[in-house]
Amino acid sequence: MTLRHRSAAAVLDVTAAACLSCVEWGADVHVPPGDRDTAARVRAESLDRGIRVASYGSYFRAGPQAAEEFTAVLASAVALGAPRIRIWAGTVGSAAATAEQRRAVVRETRAAARQASDVGIDLAFEYHSGTLTDTAASTLELLTDVGHPGVRTYWQPPVGLADVDAVDDLRRVLPWVDTVHVFSWWPRQERLPLAARERLWRGVFTLLRGTGRQHDTLLEFVPDDDAHRVAGEAATLTRLIEEDDDRD
């Protein structure tokens, strides 16, 4: 997200310089759906630099989009070597969604998950306003209704939620979470340095470590979308994780 205005090669330069280990490649700019040649090239460039492909950040919206439209997304994910595809739970928030809209999201997610599982790829919902994963309660209901072992969810701090409340929000969905988008916005969408919400992120990392599972923690935004600030933000992320290690 931060570096969508840079080439894939430039993204890898910044990633390597910041000592980050993986990248989630987005479908909107760097790896378009269905463009398998580009996906294969980006995969090769990533591997050449020792950087793991964490996931493929698609903009497939289950429900409004049918699973047939997922085919191109899946083709790029396979060529990219992504173990996971990020998808979206429709285009309507949980409070406004009709029963039919919710059923459509469930139906098309299941169909997409069947396609993905055939080639060993998992799906995970973006945890975002304006979709059926805009609250912990709705997310849990959706995942239960989908009922597919290859469908999980991302998590990110809901906009405007205080630190303690955000950590509690994560705690509720934690068994289903495999990836976290890391950034510090406060009080709404103002982009702050990661260190500005240390209390939040220490609480998050404590919960993640307590599961005993591996999670990808991905820097999604940095202030001003400034590539020169990625290394500093990555250093803060590493410090916070290591401080959590020291408490154990």
Side-chain angles (χ1 to χ4, degrees), residues 1-5 24 28 59 86 219-221 225:
M1 295 296 296
T2 286
L3 303 179
R4 58 163 35 116
H5 59 291
E24 176 177 88
D28 54 341
Y59 290 86
R86 174 171 54 84
L219 284 172
E220 185 174 17
F221 299 104
D225 289 340

Side-chain angles (χ1 to χ4, degrees), residues 77-127:
V78 170
L80 185 62
R84 176 190 314 114
I85 300 171
R86 174 171 54 84
I87 66 171
W88 295 66
T91 56
V92 180
S94 58
T98 66
E100 177 50 39
Q101 286 172 322
R102 181 173 280 273
R103 284 193 293 269
V105 173
V106 171
R107 181 179 63 249
E108 301 308 329
T109 297
R110 285 176 180 164
R114 286 193 292 269
Q115 292 183 44
S117 63
D118 284 345
V119 292
I121 294 177
D122 291 333
L123 305 183
F125 289 116
E126 174 82 357
Y127 196 78

Side-chain angles (χ1 to χ4, degrees), residues 1-235:
M1 295 296 296
T2 286
L3 303 179
R4 58 163 35 116
H5 59 291
R6 299 291 190 98
S7 68
V11 170
L12 289 168
D13 287 341
V14 173
T15 302
C19 299
L20 294 168
S21 62
C22 64
V23 172
E24 176 177 88
W25 291 104
D28 54 341
V29 175
H30 294 117
V31 184
D35 187 345
R36 288 178 286 187
D37 289 343
T38 294
R41 174 180 56 78
V42 170
R43 177 186 188 182
E45 291 176 353
S46 301
L47 293 176
D48 284 347
R49 297 176 189 234
I51 295 172
R52 175 171 58 88
V53 175
S55 45
Y56 183 40
S58 86
Y59 290 86
F60 174 78
R61 289 182 177 267
Q65 291 182 272
E68 289 78 8
E69 299 178 64
F70 183 71
T71 303
V73 171
L74 185 58
S76 285
V78 170
L80 185 62
R84 176 190 314 114
I85 300 171
R86 174 171 54 84
I87 66 171
W88 295 66
T91 56
V92 180
S94 58
T98 66
E100 177 50 39
Q101 286 172 322
R102 181 173 280 273
R103 284 193 293 269
V105 173
V106 171
R107 181 179 63 249
E108 301 308 329
T109 297
R110 285 176 180 164
R114 286 193 292 269
Q115 292 183 44
S117 63
D118 284 345
V119 292
I121 294 177
D122 291 333
L123 305 183
F125 289 116
E126 174 82 357
Y127 196 78
H128 206 279
S129 59
T131 73
L132 295 183
T133 53
D134 56 359
T135 69
S138 180
T139 300
L140 292 171
E141 181 181 353
L142 176 61
L143 288 164
T144 299
D145 288 346
V146 170
H148 192 288
V151 180
R152 298 177 62 77
T153 188
Y154 282 45
W155 183 85
Q156 62 190 38
V159 172
L161 209 58
D163 296 350
V164 172
D165 295 330
V167 172
D168 186 60
D169 186 83
L170 171 60
R171 184 179 289 108
R172 295 181 65 189
V173 297
L174 188 60
W176 296 89
V177 172
D178 59 10
T179 305
V180 173
H181 277 160
V182 178
F183 56 87
S184 288
W185 287 6
W186 191 259
R188 298 296 297 174
Q189 296 186 358
E190 294 82 359
R191 297 187 184 187
L192 306 178
L194 192 58
R197 299 192 71 182
E198 286 198 15
R199 182 185 184 191
L200 163 66
W201 290 110
R202 286 195 180 111
V204 167
F205 299 141
T206 297
L207 284 180
L208 295 179
R209 287 178 53 79
T211 67
R213 295 186 285 110
Q214 181 67 41
H215 299 83
D216 284 327
T217 52
L218 307 174
L219 284 172
E220 185 174 17
F221 299 104
V222 301
D224 303 320
D225 289 340
D226 184 353
H228 295 98
R229 302 185 72 163
V230 173
E233 293 293 89

